[in-house]
Amino acid sequence: MGWVEDFAVELDPASQGGVYPNSQINGRVVLTCTKAKNARSVSLILEGKVITEVSYNSGSGQDSHRQTDRRVDKINSPEVFLWRPSADEPLEPNTYSWPFTVVVPPNAPASRRLYGVEVTYQIKAQVDLPMQIDATRKVPVVVHSVPPPALVPVPASGDLSTDVYFCCCLNRGRAVAPYTIDSTSVSKNKEVVVRLDFDNQATKDIKVKASVSQRLDVQANHHRDSSSRTLGRAQETVAKMSGSSVVLTVPLDPGHTQASEWWQTFQTSHLLKVQVAGSKFSHVITVYGATGPGPAGLAPPAGIVPTQPQQGYPPQQQGYQG
């Protein structure tokens, strides 16, 4: 491109640390031409790509082998035209600076690279040249999960009272264990707290356990897969023939916790499991984006609600199709 001395996409500082669904990306496109050039237009677009992959066994016996089903979905913003010629006007030798604003699609999933799922975004500026290879510049953009502006606690309760046995048949007494969960909706940088008003009437010490797991369901064309990992655990021991108020604080692994999210080809969900002796119970936990100031002080746009995990699979909501 001997006719171009400089061609760049520059993001405003507020957009460089990341953006949210339905928020604006602001910046400018700078183009320096060293000689006149005929062009159809100078435009800009936000390109999003969701790639899902599922590996599976195909064939049987000696013909058995692994295959990977791959699906690509696009999430693009409307194209923004920065310059169009009037009549046969060329791009004259000059330095051009065009400010731009692009809105992230409201249902755009957060950027991520997980097992079987990759979500990426980029701003692409393009000079459309007739009968030639177009000039393009691309800048990656990170889309964050939307944090709730004010997270209202959603408590839950249950009862894990149970008889305690030795060798499955010898009754050692009863564990009375009603419990409450401070909130089944939490931010990814917080903890899940379980409280038990525990009365151990058994003749043995009893362990009280809680854990939070994260499950990822992936669909690629006609194949599906799922994976899970434990994000945090907590455990306490209650002495025999004693009563105690037990508080189990389960931290969420900051390096692996993703917000609960549902899109047309993947779903991230969370489950809290509480166990007392042989009695177990599970609760669905909704994990939101981190609370506090957003990237570069960016606040989430007003009126935008974080996506909720949905029951059933495959989901029915449709994303933006390119």
Coordinates of all heavy atoms in Angstrom, one line a residue, residues 261-292:
E261 N -24.1 -17.5 32.3 CA -24.5 -16.9 31.0 C -25.1 -17.9 30.1 O -24.7 -19.1 30.2 CB -23.2 -16.2 30.4 CG -23.6 -15.3 29.2 CD -22.4 -14.4 28.8 OE1 -21.3 -14.7 29.2 OE2 -22.7 -13.4 28.2
W262 N -26.0 -17.4 29.3 CA -26.7 -18.3 28.4 C -26.7 -17.7 27.0 O -27.1 -16.6 26.8 CB -28.1 -18.6 28.9 CG -29.0 -19.2 27.9 CD1 -29.0 -20.4 27.4 CD2 -30.2 -18.5 27.4 NE1 -30.0 -20.6 26.5 CE2 -30.8 -19.4 26.5 CE3 -30.7 -17.3 27.5 CZ2 -31.9 -19.1 25.8 CZ3 -31.9 -17.0 26.8 CH2 -32.5 -17.9 25.9
W263 N -26.2 -18.4 26.0 CA -26.2 -18.0 24.6 C -26.7 -19.1 23.8 O -27.0 -20.2 24.3 CB -24.9 -17.5 24.2 CG -25.0 -16.5 23.1 CD1 -25.5 -15.3 23.1 CD2 -24.6 -16.7 21.7 NE1 -25.5 -14.7 21.9 CE2 -24.9 -15.5 21.0 CE3 -24.0 -17.7 21.0 CZ2 -24.6 -15.3 19.6 CZ3 -23.7 -17.6 19.7 CH2 -24.0 -16.4 19.0
Q264 N -26.9 -19.0 22.5 CA -27.5 -20.0 21.7 C -26.7 -21.3 21.6 O -27.3 -22.3 21.3 CB -27.9 -19.4 20.3 CG -26.7 -19.1 19.5 CD -27.1 -18.5 18.2 OE1 -27.7 -17.4 18.2 NE2 -26.8 -19.1 17.1
T265 N -25.4 -21.2 21.8 CA -24.6 -22.4 21.6 C -23.8 -22.8 22.9 O -23.1 -23.8 22.9 CB -23.5 -22.3 20.5 OG1 -22.8 -21.1 20.8 CG2 -24.2 -22.1 19.2
F266 N -24.0 -22.1 24.0 CA -23.3 -22.5 25.2 C -24.0 -21.9 26.4 O -24.7 -20.9 26.3 CB -21.8 -22.1 25.3 CG -21.6 -20.6 25.4 CD1 -21.5 -20.0 26.6 CD2 -21.4 -19.8 24.3 CE1 -21.2 -18.7 26.8 CE2 -21.2 -18.5 24.4 CZ -21.1 -17.9 25.6
Q267 N -23.9 -22.6 27.6 CA -24.5 -22.1 28.8 C -23.5 -22.4 29.9 O -22.9 -23.5 30.1 CB -25.8 -22.8 29.1 CG -26.4 -22.5 30.5 CD -27.7 -23.1 30.7 OE1 -28.6 -22.9 29.9 NE2 -27.9 -23.8 31.7
T268 N -23.3 -21.4 30.8 CA -22.4 -21.5 32.0 C -23.4 -21.4 33.2 O -24.1 -20.4 33.4 CB -21.4 -20.4 32.1 OG1 -20.6 -20.4 30.8 CG2 -20.5 -20.6 33.2
S269 N -23.4 -22.4 34.0 CA -24.3 -22.5 35.2 C -23.5 -22.9 36.4 O -22.4 -23.4 36.3 CB -25.5 -23.4 34.9 OG -25.0 -24.7 34.6
H270 N -24.1 -22.6 37.6 CA -23.4 -22.8 38.9 C -24.3 -23.6 39.8 O -25.5 -23.3 39.9 CB -22.9 -21.5 39.4 CG -22.0 -20.8 38.5 ND1 -22.4 -20.0 37.5 CD2 -20.6 -20.8 38.5 CE1 -21.3 -19.5 36.9 NE2 -20.3 -19.9 37.5
L271 N -23.7 -24.4 40.7 CA -24.5 -25.2 41.6 C -23.8 -25.2 43.0 O -22.6 -25.5 43.0 CB -24.6 -26.7 41.1 CG -25.7 -27.5 41.7 CD1 -27.1 -27.0 41.4 CD2 -25.6 -29.0 41.2
L272 N -24.5 -25.0 44.0 CA -24.1 -25.1 45.4 C -24.5 -26.4 46.0 O -25.7 -26.7 45.9 CB -24.6 -23.9 46.2 CG -24.4 -24.1 47.8 CD1 -23.0 -24.0 48.2 CD2 -25.2 -23.0 48.5
K273 N -23.6 -27.2 46.5 CA -23.9 -28.4 47.2 C -23.6 -28.4 48.6 O -22.5 -28.0 49.0 CB -23.1 -29.6 46.5 CG -23.4 -29.8 45.0 CD -22.6 -30.9 44.4 CE -22.9 -31.0 42.9 NZ -22.0 -32.1 42.3
V274 N -24.5 -28.8 49.5 CA -24.4 -28.8 50.9 C -24.6 -30.2 51.4 O -25.5 -30.9 51.0 CB -25.4 -27.8 51.6 CG1 -25.0 -27.8 53.1 CG2 -25.3 -26.4 51.0
Q275 N -23.7 -30.7 52.3 CA -23.7 -32.1 52.8 C -23.5 -32.1 54.3 O -22.6 -31.5 54.8 CB -22.7 -32.9 52.1 CG -22.7 -34.4 52.5 CD -21.7 -35.2 51.8 OE1 -21.1 -34.8 50.8 NE2 -21.5 -36.4 52.2
V276 N -24.4 -32.9 54.9 CA -24.3 -33.2 56.4 C -24.4 -34.7 56.5 O -25.5 -35.3 56.2 CB -25.3 -32.5 57.2 CG1 -25.3 -33.0 58.7 CG2 -25.2 -31.0 57.2
A277 N -23.3 -35.4 56.9 CA -23.3 -36.9 57.0 C -23.8 -37.4 55.6 O -23.2 -37.1 54.6 CB -24.1 -37.3 58.1
G278 N -24.9 -38.2 55.6 CA -25.3 -38.8 54.3 C -26.4 -38.0 53.7 O -27.0 -38.4 52.7
S279 N -26.7 -36.8 54.2 CA -27.8 -35.9 53.7 C -27.2 -34.8 52.8 O -26.3 -34.1 53.2 CB -28.6 -35.3 54.8 OG -29.7 -34.6 54.3
K280 N -27.7 -34.7 51.5 CA -27.2 -33.7 50.6 C -28.3 -32.9 50.0 O -29.4 -33.4 49.8 CB -26.4 -34.4 49.5 CG -25.2 -35.3 49.9 CD -24.6 -36.0 48.8 CE -23.5 -37.0 49.2 NZ -22.9 -37.7 48.1
F281 N -28.0 -31.7 49.6 CA -28.9 -30.9 48.9 C -28.2 -29.9 48.0 O -27.0 -29.5 48.3 CB -29.8 -30.1 49.8 CG -31.1 -29.7 49.2 CD1 -32.2 -30.6 49.2 CD2 -31.3 -28.5 48.6 CE1 -33.4 -30.2 48.6 CE2 -32.5 -28.1 48.0 CZ -33.5 -29.0 48.0
S282 N -28.8 -29.6 46.8 CA -28.1 -28.7 45.9 C -29.0 -27.5 45.6 O -30.3 -27.6 45.5 CB -27.8 -29.4 44.6 OG -27.0 -30.5 44.8
H283 N -28.4 -26.3 45.3 CA -29.1 -25.1 44.9 C -28.4 -24.5 43.7 O -27.2 -24.5 43.6 CB -29.1 -24.1 46.1 CG -30.0 -24.4 47.3 ND1 -31.3 -24.0 47.3 CD2 -29.7 -25.1 48.4 CE1 -31.8 -24.4 48.5 NE2 -30.9 -25.1 49.1
V284 N -29.2 -24.0 42.8 CA -28.7 -23.3 41.6 C -28.3 -21.9 42.1 O -29.0 -21.2 42.8 CB -29.7 -23.2 40.5 CG1 -29.2 -22.3 39.4 CG2 -30.1 -24.6 40.0
I285 N -27.0 -21.5 41.7 CA -26.5 -20.2 42.1 C -26.3 -19.4 40.8 O -25.8 -19.9 39.8 CB -25.1 -20.4 42.8 CG1 -25.3 -21.2 44.1 CG2 -24.5 -19.0 43.1 CD1 -26.1 -20.5 45.2
T286 N -26.8 -18.2 40.9 CA -26.5 -17.2 39.7 C -25.3 -16.4 40.0 O -25.3 -15.7 41.1 CB -27.8 -16.4 39.5 OG1 -28.9 -17.2 39.2 CG2 -27.5 -15.5 38.3
V287 N -24.3 -16.4 39.2 CA -23.1 -15.6 39.4 C -23.1 -14.5 38.4 O -23.2 -14.8 37.2 CB -21.8 -16.5 39.2 CG1 -20.6 -15.7 39.4 CG2 -21.8 -17.6 40.3
Y288 N -22.9 -13.3 38.9 CA -22.9 -12.1 38.0 C -21.5 -11.6 37.8 O -20.6 -12.1 38.5 CB -23.8 -11.0 38.6 CG -25.2 -11.3 38.6 CD1 -25.8 -11.8 39.8 CD2 -26.0 -11.1 37.5 CE1 -27.2 -12.1 39.8 CE2 -27.4 -11.3 37.5 CZ -28.0 -11.8 38.7 OH -29.3 -12.1 38.7
G289 N -21.3 -10.7 36.9 CA -20.0 -10.0 36.7 C -19.6 -9.3 38.0 O -20.4 -9.0 38.9
A290 N -18.3 -9.1 38.1 CA -17.8 -8.5 39.4 C -18.4 -7.2 39.7 O -18.7 -6.4 38.8 CB -16.2 -8.3 39.2
T291 N -18.6 -6.9 41.0 CA -19.2 -5.6 41.4 C -18.1 -4.6 41.5 O -16.9 -4.9 41.4 CB -19.9 -5.8 42.8 OG1 -18.9 -6.3 43.7 CG2 -21.1 -6.7 42.7
G292 N -18.4 -3.4 41.7 CA -17.4 -2.3 41.8 C -17.3 -1.6 40.5 O -18.0 -1.9 39.5

